[in-house]
């Protein structure tokens, strides 16, 4: 019984601990490659929250219908170099229930 316990313990230790002596790895370890730079190390390139709030809270666009308001927002974001893809466009007017069910 002791022999089987000691063999199991040695087997587990060989799995957990690195090999030494003649069973050690014959090839040297790979050279250290530094991790890629963090995206947070670059400066912020998007518009500030004040710029975005100014676009969405513009008094001139409040009276416009929703599709026109979305177009004005898209133009103002395009002037800042950002692609605005109409995330709040009403899809109910584009897709009817009959075509969606088919």
């Amino acid at each position: 019984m002791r022999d089987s316990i000691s063999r199991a313990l040695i087997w587990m230790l060989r799995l957990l601990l690195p090999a030494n002596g003649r069973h050690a790895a014959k090839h040297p370890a790979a050279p250290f490659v530094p991790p890629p730079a963090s995206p947070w190390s670059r400066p912020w390139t998007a518009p500030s929250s004040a710029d975005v709030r100014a676009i969405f809270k513009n008094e001139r666009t409040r009276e416009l219908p929703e599709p026109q308001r979305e177009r004005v927002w898209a133009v103002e974001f395009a002037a800042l170099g950002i692609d605005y893809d109409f995330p709040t466009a009403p899809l109910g007017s584009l897709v009817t229930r009959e075509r969606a069910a088919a």
Side-chain angles (χ1 to χ4, degrees):
M1 181 73 173
R2 271 190 259 165
D3 189 39
S4 61
I5 293 173
S6 65
R7 272 191 271 139
L9 182 61
I10 289 172
W11 182 76
M12 290 295 293
L13 288 175
R14 283 185 182 154
L15 285 177
L16 297 175
L17 300 175
N20 293 329
R22 64 181 184 168
H23 295 291
K26 297 195 191 293
H27 304 289
F32 175 73
V33 178
S38 169
W40 297 107
S41 63
R42 290 181 284 137
W44 183 257
T45 57
S48 67
S49 62
D51 295 338
V52 174
R53 269 192 229 108
I55 291 172
F56 285 124
K57 293 187 176 188
N58 190 350
E59 294 292 329
R60 178 175 55 96
T61 59
R62 286 198 180 171
E63 291 83 29
L64 295 175
E66 190 171 341
Q68 278 185 314
R69 189 177 334 134
E70 294 279 343
R71 289 185 188 108
V72 169
W73 290 343
V75 168
E76 290 182 6
F77 276 112
L80 294 174
I82 299 172
D83 186 26
Y84 182 77
D85 59 352
F86 300 97
T88 58
L91 295 178
S93 63
L94 301 175
V95 179
T96 61
R97 287 188 180 268
E98 294 82 31
R99 283 195 291 165

